Amino acid sequence: MTQSTTIAPATPSDQTERVLRIRGHHRLSGKVQIGGAKNFALKALAATLLTTDEVVLTNVPMIADVISMAELLRAFGAEVDVLPEDDRVVVRAKTIIRTDAPPELFKATRASVVVTGPVLARMGEISFHMPGGDDIGRRPIDMHLRGFERMGATVTQDAEGITASAAKLRGARIYMDYPSHTGTEALLMASTLASGTTTITNASAEPEIVALGNMLNRMGARITGLGSPTIVVEGVERLQGVSEVCMPDRLEAGTYAIAGVITGGEIELHDVREPDMLPLTEKLLQAGADVWFRDNRMLVRAGDRLDAVDIQTLPFPGFPTDMQATLMPLLTQATGISRVQERVYEDRLRYTDELLKMGADIRVERFGEHGEKLATTAHVYGPTPLHGARVKSLDIRSAVSLVLAGLVAEGETEVTDVYHIDRGYARFVEKLSGLGADLEDTLISI
Ligand code: EPU
């Protein structure tokens, strides 16, 4: 049986627009269950294409990007059951029926780029167009393609798209200029079925990649060095099915932790992994909040002060670029000047213009020897009282940033382009409401 699900609770028409309306100044408290990680679940779904056996994924976040990825797998010929009632997805990719990725489905998410690895390894060819994803800066895939070439693939690029082909991939020494997250994943998956040994140097050490590698090992792959800059993969003939629980989403956990601190509240997060949270935990402590971990729970309590802190975004274990926007509203409420250096994506501070409409005092500097945009730093002057406004989400994380700002703003905030939140957060309004936030997902006339 093949099922799909609708994520959006309200469907806008020509005359209406969907907004999240938030009435601020409520102290959040209580418990919240953290769901499975988007940036793991999407790659685990891609990994199902590496085997003819059944793969069962549980604790899957029921978000729009997961539905898109399920559609992409179906287009390749996999049978996919999406079971929202128990957060489970079952995939059987007995046969792969095509090697050209349908452009619309491929462009729906960034994560689709990682299916290139499994399809190339299993079928000897993959054709695709550039993947989509958030508009947060340059997002090339040169390292993925160079890695495929090192493994013996022929890669061609023209107006029709990109094709990589190799009758059989062979193990290779691959050096990545930068520890690309999806680049490491695509190459890791491709190399599991290559002949011989592949070494990926300057590999990404993000927790979701460690989890993906562990899943692949349970499927029969032979991978060592996960979580370090050098991953070594001994190719095997075939991989088998697996039943895998998606790891908790550190970015979702960070969102509710910040929501608690920014509103002067106290939140208990269930299903959180302490090592994954350290970059954020450190900043919350520096800002004056209290944080405790016990087993897989995290307790966050606002302190009696909120101090400015500096952050710079870096690959793991540095501070995640995906949490930069989420932390920003808190910095607007902290005393002093916080410096936020975005070092992964040059356009990932654009959303701060929306926070200015709510009264924030954030000044963004752009750097670059020849005037090019290379990195951006925001100077956040706080504390500034925020007031409600109509503001526009630009991507998943900026959407959430605006909602968090709405939680401390005077009056009503309306966040538009809510579909960004659907892409990355399951049961967002329900979870925030459960903690005492006053918000609704509604349609307004335009
Ligand atoms: N880069 C290159 N060449 C490449 C690949 C990347 O120059 O071939 C550069 C990019 O331009 C960027 C940097 O390397 O400056 C990092 O890019 P990376 O490849 O690591 O990012 P990604 O794999 O496209 C994933 C997540 C993002 C997250 C980044 C960084 C998925 C689907 N996306 O993107 O998540 O911000 O890693 O950790 O896994 C999000 O969840 O909101 C999100 C945007």
Side-chain angles (χ1 to χ4, degrees), residues 3 29 43 83 112 117 191 243 251 280 287 298 319 430 446:
Q3 295 183 10
S29 65
K43 323 314 171 46
L83 305 157
S112 57
S191 58
S243 189
L251 306 173
L280 177 68
M298 172 176 168
F319 190 90
E430 183 188 313
I446 44 175

Side-chain angles (χ1 to χ4, degrees), residues 38-39 42-43 110-113 134 136-145 178-183 185 204 206 250-251 315 320-322 343-346 348 395-397:
K38 163 178 99 68
N39 286 342
L42 296 172
K43 323 314 171 46
R110 177 70 182 175
S112 57
V113 74
D134 294 326
I136 49 183
R138 281 174 301 128
R139 303 187 79 177
I141 56 164
D142 52 298
M143 285 186 272
H144 312 49
L145 300 180
Y178 184 96
S180 162
H181 191 142
T182 50
E185 290 163 334
S204 171
E206 304 285 335
R250 59 190 164 124
L251 306 173
T321 172
D322 291 339
R343 296 182 57 179
V344 182
Y345 293 113
E346 67 275 12
R348 219 174 191 183
D395 55 69
I396 302 174
R397 311 299 164 194

Side-chain angles (χ1 to χ4, degrees), residues 19-306:
V19 296
L20 280 192
R21 186 180 291 136
I22 306 119
R23 284 168 286 272
H25 284 216
H26 293 272
R27 180 180 175 275
L28 299 200
S29 65
K31 298 175 182 169
V32 61
Q33 179 70 35
I34 301 308
K38 163 178 99 68
N39 286 342
F40 170 75
L42 296 172
K43 323 314 171 46
L45 284 167
T48 64
L49 296 181
L50 284 164
T51 176
T52 53
D53 294 350
E54 179 173 278
V55 176
V56 179
L57 299 176
T58 54
N59 199 31
V60 180
M62 288 296 148
I63 52 177
D65 276 12
V66 161
I67 305 305
S68 300
M69 182 59 93
E71 284 303 324
L72 184 61
L73 299 184
R74 285 184 189 123
F76 278 109
E79 285 175 41
V80 186
D81 297 339
V82 178
L83 305 157
E85 54 285 2
D86 52 358
D87 291 345
R88 192 156 53 100
V89 179
V90 182
V91 185
R92 287 169 299 273
K94 283 197 181 62
T95 47
I96 291 184
I97 56 173
R98 62 197 286 174
T99 57
D100 60 316
E104 287 319 309
L105 286 176
F106 198 77
K107 283 181 184 163
T109 70
R110 177 70 182 175
S112 57
V113 74
V114 299
V115 306
T116 58
V119 176
L120 175 61
R122 191 161 149 191
M123 303 299 290
E125 185 167 293
I126 177 73
S127 306
F128 58 100
H129 288 75
M130 278 300 280
D134 294 326
D135 183 12
I136 49 183
R138 281 174 301 128
R139 303 187 79 177
I141 56 164
D142 52 298
M143 285 186 272
H144 312 49
L145 300 180
R146 238 184 348 264
F148 291 152
E149 283 178 335
R150 291 278 184 274
M151 284 193 265
T154 304
V155 176
T156 55
Q157 291 189 61
D158 57 29
E160 298 303 304
I162 301 166
T163 298
S165 50
K168 175 82 179 166
L169 292 173
R170 53 172 190 267
R173 289 176 194 276
I174 299 171
Y175 174 82
M176 299 180 76
D177 298 332
Y178 184 96
S180 162
H181 191 142
T182 50
T184 303
E185 290 163 334
L187 298 174
L188 178 65
M189 288 198 262
S191 58
T192 56
L193 295 180
S195 59
T197 305
T198 300
T199 306
I200 309 173
T201 303
N202 202 18
S204 171
E206 304 285 335
E208 293 78 15
I209 293 172
V210 177
L212 177 68
N214 287 334
M215 171 180 165
L216 293 167
N217 279 342
R218 282 189 276 277
M219 293 171 75
R222 297 178 62 194
I223 306 168
T224 53
L226 292 163
S228 84
T230 306
I231 297 179
V232 180
V233 187
E234 306 273 354
V236 296
E237 278 302 314
R238 72 175 291 273
L239 296 180
Q240 71 221 17
V242 71
S243 189
E244 189 72 21
V245 184
C246 291
M247 63 178 283
D249 195 318
R250 59 190 164 124
L251 306 173
E252 189 196 21
T255 303
Y256 296 115
I258 292 166
V261 174
I262 198 175
T263 61
E266 183 174 326
I267 310 272
E268 192 176 305
L269 304 139
H270 287 218
D271 203 11
V272 177
R273 301 196 326 192
E274 181 176 0
D276 300 353
M277 300 306 295
L278 278 181
L280 177 68
T281 310
E282 176 59 29
K283 292 299 154 183
L284 292 178
L285 291 171
Q286 282 179 23
D290 294 317
V291 182
W292 297 267
F293 288 91
R294 179 176 297 170
D295 303 326
N296 61 348
R297 283 172 296 156
M298 172 176 168
L299 181 69
V300 189
R301 186 188 297 151
D304 49 15
R305 60 178 217 283
L306 207 44

